[in-house]
Coordinates of all heavy atoms in Angstrom, one line a residue:
M828 N 36.7 124.5 -1.3 CA 35.4 124.4 -1.8 C 34.8 123.1 -1.4 O 35.4 122.0 -1.6 CB 35.3 124.6 -3.3 CG 33.9 124.7 -3.8 SD 33.8 125.3 -5.5 CE 34.8 124.3 -6.4
A829 N 33.6 123.1 -0.8 CA 33.0 121.8 -0.4 C 32.5 121.0 -1.6 O 32.0 121.6 -2.5 CB 31.8 122.1 0.5
S830 N 32.8 119.7 -1.6 CA 32.3 118.9 -2.7 C 30.9 118.5 -2.5 O 30.5 118.2 -1.4 CB 33.2 117.7 -2.9 OG 33.0 116.9 -1.8
A831 N 30.1 118.5 -3.6 CA 28.7 118.2 -3.6 C 28.6 116.7 -3.4 O 29.3 115.9 -4.0 CB 28.0 118.6 -4.8
T832 N 27.7 116.3 -2.5 CA 27.5 114.8 -2.3 C 26.6 114.3 -3.4 O 25.6 114.9 -3.7 CB 26.8 114.6 -0.9 OG1 27.5 115.3 0.0 CG2 26.8 113.1 -0.6
K833 N 27.0 113.2 -4.1 CA 26.2 112.7 -5.2 C 25.0 111.9 -4.6 O 25.2 111.0 -3.8 CB 27.1 111.8 -6.0 CG 26.5 111.6 -7.4 CD 27.5 111.0 -8.3 CE 26.9 110.8 -9.7 NZ 27.8 110.1 -10.6
R834 N 23.8 112.3 -4.9 CA 22.7 111.6 -4.5 C 22.3 110.5 -5.5 O 22.5 110.7 -6.7 CB 21.5 112.6 -4.3 CG 21.6 113.5 -3.1 CD 20.4 114.3 -2.9 NE 20.1 115.1 -4.0 CZ 19.0 115.8 -4.2 NH1 18.0 115.6 -3.4 NH2 18.8 116.6 -5.3
P835 N 21.8 109.4 -5.0 CA 21.3 108.4 -5.9 C 20.2 108.9 -6.8 O 19.4 109.7 -6.3 CB 20.8 107.2 -5.0 CG 20.7 107.8 -3.6 CD 21.5 109.1 -3.6
K836 N 20.2 108.4 -8.0 CA 19.2 108.9 -9.0 C 17.8 108.4 -8.5 O 17.6 107.3 -8.1 CB 19.5 108.3 -10.3 CG 19.5 109.3 -11.4 CD 19.4 108.7 -12.8 CE 20.8 108.3 -13.3 NZ 20.8 107.7 -14.6
K837 N 16.8 109.3 -8.6 CA 15.4 108.9 -8.2 C 14.8 108.1 -9.3 O 14.9 108.5 -10.5 CB 14.6 110.2 -8.0 CG 13.3 109.9 -7.3 CD 12.7 111.2 -6.9 CE 11.3 110.9 -6.3 NZ 10.3 111.7 -6.7
R838 N 14.2 107.0 -8.9 CA 13.7 106.1 -9.9 C 12.2 106.5 -10.1 O 11.5 106.9 -9.2 CB 13.8 104.7 -9.5 CG 15.3 104.3 -9.3 CD 15.5 102.8 -9.4 NE 14.7 102.0 -8.6 CZ 14.5 100.7 -8.7 NH1 15.2 100.1 -9.7 NH2 13.8 100.0 -7.9
S839 N 11.7 106.3 -11.3 CA 10.3 106.6 -11.6 C 9.4 105.7 -10.9 O 9.7 104.5 -10.6 CB 10.1 106.5 -13.1 OG 10.3 105.2 -13.5
A840 N 8.2 106.2 -10.6 CA 7.2 105.3 -9.9 C 6.6 104.3 -10.8 O 6.3 103.2 -10.4 CB 6.0 106.2 -9.3
N841 N 6.6 104.6 -12.1 CA 6.0 103.7 -13.1 C 7.0 103.2 -14.1 O 8.0 104.0 -14.4 CB 4.8 104.3 -13.8 CG 3.7 104.7 -12.9 OD1 3.4 104.0 -11.9 ND2 3.0 105.8 -13.2
I842 N 6.8 102.1 -14.7 CA 7.7 101.6 -15.7 C 6.9 101.0 -16.8 O 5.7 100.6 -16.6 CB 8.8 100.5 -15.3 CG1 8.1 99.4 -14.5 CG2 9.8 101.2 -14.4 CD1 9.0 98.3 -14.1
A843 N 7.5 100.9 -18.0 CA 6.8 100.2 -19.2 C 7.2 98.8 -19.3 O 8.3 98.4 -19.0 CB 7.1 101.0 -20.4
I844 N 6.2 97.9 -19.6 CA 6.5 96.5 -19.9 C 5.8 96.2 -21.2 O 4.7 96.7 -21.5 CB 6.1 95.6 -18.7 CG1 4.6 95.7 -18.4 CG2 6.9 95.7 -17.5 CD1 4.1 94.5 -17.6
V845 N 6.5 95.3 -21.9 CA 5.9 94.9 -23.2 C 5.3 93.5 -23.1 O 5.8 92.6 -22.5 CB 7.1 94.8 -24.2 CG1 6.6 94.3 -25.6 CG2 7.8 96.1 -24.4
R846 N 4.1 93.4 -23.7 CA 3.5 92.1 -23.8 C 4.0 91.4 -25.1 O 3.6 91.8 -26.2 CB 1.9 92.2 -23.9 CG 1.3 92.7 -22.6 CD -0.2 92.6 -22.6 NE -0.8 93.1 -23.9 CZ -1.0 94.4 -24.2 NH1 -0.7 95.3 -23.3 NH2 -1.5 94.7 -25.3
R847 N 4.9 90.5 -24.9 CA 5.7 90.0 -26.0 C 4.8 89.4 -27.1 O 5.0 89.5 -28.3 CB 6.6 88.9 -25.5 CG 7.4 88.2 -26.6 CD 8.3 87.1 -26.1 NE 8.7 86.3 -27.2 CZ 9.5 85.2 -27.2 NH1 10.0 84.9 -26.0 NH2 9.7 84.5 -28.2
D848 N 3.7 88.7 -26.7 CA 2.8 88.1 -27.7 C 2.2 89.1 -28.6 O 1.8 88.7 -29.7 CB 1.7 87.2 -27.0 CG 2.3 86.0 -26.4 OD1 3.5 85.7 -26.7 OD2 1.7 85.3 -25.6
D849 N 2.0 90.3 -28.2 CA 1.3 91.3 -29.0 C 2.3 92.2 -29.7 O 1.9 93.0 -30.6 CB 0.5 92.2 -28.1 CG -0.7 91.5 -27.4 OD1 -1.1 90.5 -28.1 OD2 -1.1 91.8 -26.3
C850 N 3.6 92.1 -29.4 CA 4.6 93.0 -30.0 C 5.0 92.5 -31.4 O 5.3 91.3 -31.6 CB 5.8 93.1 -29.1 SG 7.2 94.0 -29.9
T851 N 5.0 93.3 -32.4 CA 5.3 92.9 -33.8 C 6.8 93.2 -34.1 O 7.2 92.9 -35.2 CB 4.4 93.7 -34.8 OG1 4.7 95.1 -34.7 CG2 2.9 93.4 -34.5
G852 N 7.5 93.9 -33.2 CA 8.9 94.3 -33.5 C 9.0 95.4 -34.5 O 10.0 95.6 -35.2
C853 N 8.0 96.3 -34.6 CA 7.9 97.4 -35.6 C 8.9 98.5 -35.3 O 9.2 99.3 -36.1 CB 6.5 97.9 -35.7 SG 6.1 99.0 -34.3
E854 N 9.4 98.5 -34.0 CA 10.5 99.5 -33.6 C 10.0 100.9 -33.4 O 10.8 101.8 -33.1 CB 11.7 99.5 -34.5 CG 12.3 98.1 -34.7 CD 13.6 98.2 -35.5 OE1 14.4 99.0 -35.3 OE2 13.7 97.3 -36.4
A855 N 8.7 101.2 -33.5 CA 8.2 102.5 -33.3 C 8.5 103.0 -31.9 O 8.9 104.2 -31.8 CB 6.7 102.6 -33.5
C856 N 8.4 102.2 -30.9 CA 8.6 102.6 -29.6 C 10.1 103.0 -29.4 O 10.4 104.0 -28.6 CB 8.3 101.5 -28.6 SG 9.1 99.9 -28.9
I857 N 11.0 102.3 -30.1 CA 12.4 102.6 -29.9 C 12.7 104.1 -30.3 O 13.5 104.8 -29.7 CB 13.3 101.6 -30.8 CG1 13.1 100.2 -30.2 CG2 14.7 102.0 -30.8 CD1 13.8 99.1 -31.0
V858 N 12.1 104.5 -31.4 CA 12.3 105.9 -31.9 C 11.9 106.9 -30.9 O 12.5 107.9 -30.8 CB 11.5 106.0 -33.2 CG1 11.5 107.5 -33.7 CG2 11.9 105.1 -34.3
F859 N 10.8 106.6 -30.2 CA 10.3 107.7 -29.2 C 10.9 107.7 -27.9 O 10.8 108.7 -27.2 CB 8.7 107.5 -29.1 CG 8.0 107.9 -30.3 CD1 7.4 107.0 -31.2 CD2 7.8 109.3 -30.5 CE1 6.7 107.4 -32.3 CE2 7.1 109.7 -31.7 CZ 6.6 108.8 -32.5
C860 N 11.6 106.6 -27.5 CA 12.1 106.5 -26.1 C 13.2 107.6 -25.9 O 14.2 107.5 -26.6 CB 12.6 105.1 -25.8 SG 13.3 105.0 -24.1
P861 N 13.0 108.5 -25.0 CA 14.0 109.5 -24.8 C 15.3 109.1 -24.1 O 16.3 109.8 -24.0 CB 13.3 110.6 -23.9 CG 12.3 109.8 -23.2 CD 11.9 108.7 -24.1
V862 N 15.3 107.9 -23.4 CA 16.5 107.4 -22.7 C 17.1 106.2 -23.3 O 17.9 105.5 -22.7 CB 16.1 107.2 -21.2 CG1 15.8 108.5 -20.5 CG2 15.0 106.2 -21.0
D863 N 16.6 105.8 -24.5 CA 17.2 104.7 -25.3 C 17.3 103.4 -24.4 O 18.3 102.8 -24.4 CB 18.6 105.1 -25.7 CG 19.2 104.2 -26.8 OD1 18.4 103.5 -27.5 OD2 20.4 104.2 -26.9
C864 N 16.1 103.0 -23.8 CA 16.2 101.8 -23.0 C 15.4 100.7 -23.6 O 15.0 99.7 -22.9 CB 15.7 102.2 -21.6 SG 14.0 102.6 -21.4
I865 N 15.1 100.8 -24.9 CA 14.3 99.7 -25.5 C 15.2 99.0 -26.6 O 15.8 99.7 -27.4 CB 13.0 100.2 -26.2 CG1 12.2 101.1 -25.2 CG2 12.2 99.1 -26.7 CD1 11.0 101.7 -25.8
D866 N 15.3 97.7 -26.5 CA 16.1 96.9 -27.4 C 15.3 96.0 -28.2 O 14.4 95.3 -27.7 CB 17.2 96.1 -26.7 CG 18.3 97.1 -26.1 OD1 18.7 98.0 -26.8 OD2 18.7 96.8 -24.9
L867 N 15.6 95.8 -29.5 CA 15.0 94.8 -30.3 C 15.7 93.5 -30.2 O 16.9 93.4 -30.2 CB 15.0 95.3 -31.8 CG 14.2 94.5 -32.8 CD1 12.7 94.7 -32.6 CD2 14.6 94.9 -34.2
I868 N 14.9 92.5 -30.0 CA 15.4 91.1 -29.7 C 14.9 90.1 -30.7 O 13.7 90.2 -31.1 CB 14.9 90.7 -28.3 CG1 15.2 91.7 -27.2 CG2 15.4 89.3 -27.9 CD1 16.7 91.7 -26.8
E869 N 15.7 89.2 -31.1 CA 15.2 88.1 -31.9 C 14.8 86.9 -31.0 O 15.6 86.6 -30.1 CB 16.4 87.6 -32.8 CG 16.7 88.5 -34.0 CD 17.9 88.0 -34.8 OE1 18.4 86.9 -34.5 OE2 18.2 88.6 -35.8
A870 N 13.7 86.3 -31.3 CA 13.3 85.2 -30.5 C 14.3 84.0 -30.7 O 14.6 83.7 -31.8 CB 11.9 84.8 -30.9
P871 N 14.8 83.5 -29.6 CA 15.8 82.4 -29.7 C 15.3 81.2 -30.5 O 16.0 80.6 -31.2 CB 16.1 82.0 -28.2 CG 15.4 83.0 -27.4 CD 14.4 83.8 -28.2
E872 N 14.0 80.9 -30.4 CA 13.4 79.8 -31.1 C 13.1 80.1 -32.5 O 12.9 79.1 -33.3 CB 12.2 79.3 -30.3 CG 11.0 80.3 -30.2 CD 11.1 81.3 -29.1 OE1 12.2 81.4 -28.5 OE2 10.1 82.0 -28.9
N873 N 13.1 81.4 -32.9 CA 12.8 81.7 -34.3 C 13.3 83.1 -34.6 O 12.6 84.1 -34.3 CB 11.2 81.7 -34.5 CG 10.9 82.2 -35.9 OD1 11.7 82.3 -36.8 ND2 9.6 82.4 -36.1
P874 N 14.5 83.2 -35.2 CA 15.1 84.6 -35.4 C 14.3 85.5 -36.2 O 14.5 86.7 -36.2 CB 16.5 84.2 -36.0 CG 16.7 82.8 -35.7 CD 15.4 82.1 -35.5
A875 N 13.4 85.0 -37.0 CA 12.5 85.8 -37.9 C 11.5 86.6 -37.0 O 11.0 87.6 -37.4 CB 11.8 85.0 -38.9
E876 N 11.3 86.1 -35.8 CA 10.3 86.7 -34.9 C 11.1 87.7 -34.0 O 12.0 87.3 -33.3 CB 9.6 85.7 -34.0 CG 8.5 86.2 -33.1 CD 8.1 85.2 -32.0 OE1 8.1 84.0 -32.3 OE2 7.8 85.7 -30.9
K877 N 10.6 89.0 -34.0 CA 11.3 90.0 -33.2 C 10.3 90.6 -32.3 O 9.1 90.7 -32.6 CB 11.9 91.0 -34.2 CG 13.1 90.5 -35.0 CD 13.8 91.6 -35.8 CE 15.1 91.1 -36.4 NZ 14.9 90.0 -37.3
Y878 N 10.9 91.1 -31.2 CA 10.1 91.8 -30.2 C 11.0 92.7 -29.4 O 12.2 92.6 -29.6 CB 9.3 90.8 -29.2 CG 10.2 89.9 -28.5 CD1 10.5 90.2 -27.2 CD2 10.7 88.7 -29.0 CE1 11.4 89.3 -26.4 CE2 11.5 87.9 -28.3 CZ 11.8 88.2 -27.0 OH 12.7 87.3 -26.3
V879 N 10.5 93.6 -28.5 CA 11.3 94.5 -27.8 C 11.3 94.1 -26.3 O 10.4 93.6 -25.8 CB 11.0 96.0 -28.0 CG1 11.2 96.4 -29.5 CG2 9.6 96.3 -27.6
L880 N 12.4 94.5 -25.7 CA 12.6 94.4 -24.2 C 12.9 95.8 -23.7 O 13.7 96.5 -24.3 CB 13.7 93.4 -23.8 CG 13.4 91.9 -23.9 CD1 14.6 91.2 -23.5 CD2 12.2 91.6 -23.1
I881 N 12.4 96.1 -22.5 CA 12.6 97.4 -21.9 C 13.5 97.2 -20.7 O 13.2 96.4 -19.8 CB 11.3 98.1 -21.6 CG1 10.5 98.4 -22.9 CG2 11.5 99.4 -20.8 CD1 9.1 99.0 -22.7
D882 N 14.5 98.0 -20.6 CA 15.4 98.0 -19.4 C 14.7 98.8 -18.3 O 14.7 100.0 -18.3 CB 16.8 98.6 -19.8 CG 17.7 98.7 -18.6 OD1 17.3 98.2 -17.5 OD2 18.7 99.3 -18.7
K883 N 14.2 98.1 -17.3 CA 13.4 98.7 -16.3 C 14.2 99.6 -15.4 O 13.7 100.5 -14.7 CB 12.6 97.7 -15.5 CG 13.4 96.8 -14.6 CD 12.5 95.8 -13.9 CE 13.2 94.7 -13.2 NZ 14.2 95.1 -12.2
E884 N 15.5 99.4 -15.3 CA 16.4 100.3 -14.5 C 16.5 101.6 -15.1 O 16.7 102.6 -14.4 CB 17.8 99.6 -14.3 CG 17.8 98.4 -13.5 CD 17.2 98.6 -12.1 OE1 17.4 99.7 -11.5 OE2 16.4 97.8 -11.6
T885 N 16.5 101.7 -16.4 CA 16.7 103.0 -17.1 C 15.4 103.7 -17.5 O 15.4 104.9 -17.6 CB 17.5 102.7 -18.5 OG1 18.6 101.9 -18.1 CG2 18.0 104.0 -19.1
C886 N 14.3 102.9 -17.6 CA 13.0 103.5 -18.0 C 12.6 104.6 -17.0 O 12.7 104.4 -15.8 CB 12.0 102.4 -18.0 SG 10.3 103.0 -18.3
I887 N 12.2 105.7 -17.5 CA 11.8 106.9 -16.6 C 10.2 107.0 -16.6 O 9.7 108.0 -16.1 CB 12.4 108.2 -17.1 CG1 12.0 108.5 -18.6 CG2 13.9 108.2 -16.9 CD1 12.5 109.9 -19.0
G888 N 9.5 106.0 -17.2 CA 8.1 106.0 -17.1 C 7.4 107.1 -17.8 O 6.3 107.6 -17.4
C889 N 8.0 107.6 -18.9 CA 7.4 108.8 -19.6 C 6.2 108.5 -20.4 O 5.5 109.4 -20.8 CB 8.5 109.4 -20.5 SG 8.8 108.4 -22.0
V890 N 5.9 107.2 -20.6 CA 4.6 106.8 -21.3 C 4.7 106.9 -22.8 O 3.7 106.6 -23.5 CB 3.4 107.4 -20.7 CG1 2.1 106.7 -21.2 CG2 3.4 107.5 -19.2
L891 N 5.7 107.5 -23.4 CA 5.7 107.8 -24.8 C 5.6 106.5 -25.6 O 4.9 106.4 -26.6 CB 7.0 108.5 -25.2 CG 7.0 110.0 -24.8 CD1 8.4 110.6 -25.2 CD2 5.9 110.8 -25.6
C892 N 6.3 105.5 -25.2 CA 6.3 104.2 -26.0 C 4.9 103.6 -26.0 O 4.4 103.2 -27.0 CB 7.3 103.2 -25.4 SG 7.0 102.9 -23.6
A893 N 4.2 103.6 -24.8 CA 2.9 103.1 -24.7 C 1.9 103.9 -25.5 O 1.0 103.3 -26.2 CB 2.5 103.0 -23.2
R894 N 2.1 105.2 -25.6 CA 1.2 106.1 -26.3 C 1.3 105.9 -27.8 O 0.4 105.9 -28.6 CB 1.5 107.5 -25.9 CG 0.5 108.5 -26.5 CD 0.7 109.9 -26.0 NE 0.6 110.0 -24.6 CZ 1.1 110.9 -23.8 NH1 1.8 111.9 -24.3 NH2 0.8 110.9 -22.5
Y895 N 2.5 105.6 -28.3 CA 2.8 105.5 -29.7 C 2.8 104.1 -30.3 O 3.0 104.0 -31.5 CB 4.0 106.3 -30.1 CG 3.8 107.8 -30.0 CD1 4.3 108.5 -28.9 CD2 3.0 108.5 -30.9 CE1 4.1 109.9 -28.8 CE2 2.7 109.8 -30.8 CZ 3.3 110.5 -29.7 OH 3.0 111.9 -29.6
C896 N 2.8 103.1 -29.5 CA 2.8 101.7 -30.0 C 1.6 101.5 -30.9 O 0.4 101.6 -30.4 CB 2.9 100.7 -28.9 SG 2.7 99.0 -29.5
P897 N 1.7 101.2 -32.2 CA 0.6 101.0 -33.0 C -0.2 99.8 -32.7 O -1.4 99.7 -33.1 CB 1.2 100.9 -34.4 CG 2.6 101.1 -34.3 CD 3.0 101.1 -32.9
W898 N 0.4 98.9 -31.9 CA -0.3 97.6 -31.6 C -0.7 97.6 -30.2 O -1.2 96.5 -29.7 CB 0.6 96.4 -31.9 CG 1.1 96.5 -33.4 CD1 2.3 97.1 -33.8 CD2 0.4 96.1 -34.5 NE1 2.3 97.0 -35.2 CE2 1.2 96.4 -35.6 CE3 -0.9 95.5 -34.7 CZ2 0.8 96.2 -36.9 CZ3 -1.2 95.2 -36.0 CH2 -0.4 95.6 -37.1
D899 N -0.6 98.7 -29.5 CA -1.1 98.7 -28.1 C -0.5 97.6 -27.2 O -1.2 96.9 -26.5 CB -2.6 98.7 -28.1 CG -3.2 99.2 -26.7 OD1 -2.4 99.9 -26.0 OD2 -4.3 98.8 -26.4
S900 N 0.8 97.3 -27.4 CA 1.3 96.1 -26.7 C 2.2 96.5 -25.5 O 3.0 95.7 -25.0 CB 2.1 95.2 -27.7 OG 2.6 95.9 -28.8
I901 N 2.2 97.8 -25.1 CA 3.0 98.2 -23.9 C 2.0 98.6 -22.8 O 1.1 99.4 -23.0 CB 3.9 99.3 -24.3 CG1 4.9 98.9 -25.4 CG2 4.7 99.8 -23.1 CD1 5.9 99.9 -25.8
D902 N 2.3 98.1 -21.6 CA 1.5 98.5 -20.4 C 2.4 99.3 -19.5 O 3.6 99.0 -19.4 CB 1.0 97.3 -19.7 CG 0.0 96.5 -20.5 OD1 -0.8 97.1 -21.2 OD2 0.0 95.2 -20.4
M903 N 1.8 100.3 -18.8 CA 2.5 101.0 -17.8 C 2.1 100.3 -16.4 O 0.9 100.1 -16.2 CB 2.2 102.5 -17.8 CG 2.5 103.2 -19.0 SD 4.3 103.1 -19.5 CE 5.1 103.9 -18.1
V904 N 3.1 100.0 -15.6 CA 2.8 99.4 -14.3 C 3.5 100.1 -13.2 O 4.5 100.8 -13.5 CB 3.2 97.9 -14.3 CG1 2.5 97.1 -15.4 CG2 4.7 97.8 -14.5
V905 N 3.0 100.0 -12.0 CA 3.7 100.6 -10.9 C 4.9 99.8 -10.6 O 4.9 98.6 -10.5 CB 2.7 100.6 -9.7 CG1 3.4 101.2 -8.4 CG2 1.5 101.4 -10.0
R906 N 6.1 100.5 -10.5 CA 7.3 99.8 -10.4 C 7.4 98.8 -9.2 O 7.8 97.7 -9.4 CB 8.5 100.9 -10.3 CG 9.8 100.3 -10.2 CD 10.9 101.4 -9.9 NE 11.1 102.2 -11.0 CZ 12.0 102.0 -12.0 NH1 12.7 100.8 -12.0 NH2 12.2 102.8 -13.0
E907 N 7.1 99.3 -8.0 CA 7.5 98.5 -6.8 C 6.7 97.1 -6.8 O 7.3 96.1 -6.6 CB 7.4 99.3 -5.6 CG 8.6 100.2 -5.5 CD 8.7 100.9 -4.2 OE1 8.0 100.6 -3.3 OE2 9.6 101.8 -4.1
P908 N 5.4 97.2 -6.9 CA 4.7 95.9 -6.8 C 5.1 95.0 -7.9 O 5.2 93.8 -7.8 CB 3.2 96.3 -7.0 CG 3.1 97.7 -6.6 CD 4.4 98.3 -6.9
F909 N 5.4 95.6 -9.1 CA 5.9 94.7 -10.3 C 7.2 94.1 -9.9 O 7.4 92.9 -10.2 CB 6.0 95.6 -11.5 CG 6.6 94.9 -12.7 CD1 5.9 93.9 -13.4 CD2 8.0 95.0 -13.0 CE1 6.5 93.2 -14.4 CE2 8.6 94.4 -14.0 CZ 7.8 93.4 -14.7
E910 N 8.1 94.8 -9.3 CA 9.4 94.3 -9.0 C 9.3 93.2 -7.9 O 10.0 92.2 -8.0 CB 10.4 95.4 -8.6 CG 10.8 96.2 -9.8 CD 11.9 97.2 -9.4 OE1 12.1 97.5 -8.2 OE2 12.5 97.7 -10.4
Q911 N 8.4 93.4 -7.0 CA 8.2 92.4 -5.9 C 7.7 91.1 -6.5 O 8.1 90.0 -6.2 CB 7.3 92.9 -4.8 CG 8.0 93.9 -3.9 CD 7.0 94.7 -3.1 OE1 5.8 94.5 -3.1 NE2 7.6 95.7 -2.4
R912 N 6.7 91.3 -7.5 CA 6.2 90.0 -8.1 C 7.3 89.4 -8.9 O 7.4 88.2 -8.9 CB 5.0 90.4 -9.0 CG 3.7 90.7 -8.3 CD 2.5 90.5 -9.3 NE 2.7 91.3 -10.5 CZ 2.3 92.6 -10.6 NH1 1.8 93.2 -9.6 NH2 2.5 93.2 -11.7
A913 N 8.1 90.2 -9.6 CA 9.2 89.6 -10.5 C 10.2 88.9 -9.6 O 10.6 87.8 -10.0 CB 9.9 90.7 -11.2
E914 N 10.5 89.4 -8.4 CA 11.4 88.7 -7.5 C 10.8 87.3 -7.1 O 11.5 86.3 -7.1 CB 11.7 89.5 -6.3 CG 12.8 90.5 -6.4 CD 12.9 91.4 -5.2 OE1 12.5 91.0 -4.1 OE2 13.4 92.5 -5.4
L915 N 9.6 87.3 -6.9 CA 8.9 86.0 -6.5 C 9.0 85.0 -7.6 O 9.3 83.9 -7.4 CB 7.5 86.3 -6.1 CG 7.3 87.0 -4.8 CD1 5.8 87.3 -4.6 CD2 7.8 86.1 -3.6
V916 N 8.9 85.5 -8.9 CA 8.9 84.7 -10.0 C 10.3 84.2 -10.3 O 10.5 83.0 -10.6 CB 8.3 85.4 -11.3 CG1 8.5 84.6 -12.5 CG2 6.8 85.7 -11.0
F917 N 11.3 85.1 -10.2 CA 12.6 84.7 -10.7 C 13.5 84.2 -9.7 O 14.6 83.7 -10.0 CB 13.3 86.0 -11.4 CG 12.6 86.4 -12.6 CD1 12.1 87.7 -12.7 CD2 12.3 85.5 -13.6 CE1 11.4 88.1 -13.9 CE2 11.7 85.9 -14.8 CZ 11.2 87.2 -14.9
M918 N 13.1 84.1 -8.4 CA 14.0 83.6 -7.3 C 14.3 82.1 -7.5 O 13.5 81.4 -8.1 CB 13.4 83.9 -6.0 CG 14.0 85.1 -5.3 SD 13.2 85.6 -3.8 CE 13.5 84.2 -2.8
Ligands
LIG1941 S1 8.1 104.8 -20.7 FE1 9.5 106.3 -21.7 S2 11.5 105.8 -20.8 FE2 10.2 104.0 -20.4 S3 10.6 102.7 -22.2 FE3 8.8 103.9 -22.6 S4 9.6 105.6 -23.8 FE4 11.3 104.7 -22.8
LIG1942 S1 5.9 99.9 -30.9 FE1 4.8 98.2 -30.0 S2 4.7 96.6 -31.6 FE2 6.2 98.1 -32.2 S3 8.2 97.2 -31.3 FE3 7.4 98.6 -29.8 S4 6.1 97.4 -28.4 FE4 6.5 96.2 -30.3

């Protein structure tokens, strides 16, 4: 029997990013994310301040987090130009 060739997973065209300054750490987005790619983080400079980070490799761009964020602190962006800008920033 021929073995199926494993194809690389197709990545979504869009991803969610959080505007940290607007995030209250309420965790509503975490509940809605179907792929569990949102983590609650404590600010290193102040552990009482919490916000979320989204794993852009796992995000499928479903928009649920952005739709249900009560503080409107999540933006959907086109993945490739965002990653190119991020590379320029983080190099
Ligand atoms: S867009 Fe969807 S997959 Fe991506 S972080 Fe938001 S809820 Fe999760
Ligand atoms: S729902 Fe909005 S405010 Fe609440 S943790 Fe997520 S991004 Fe932050």
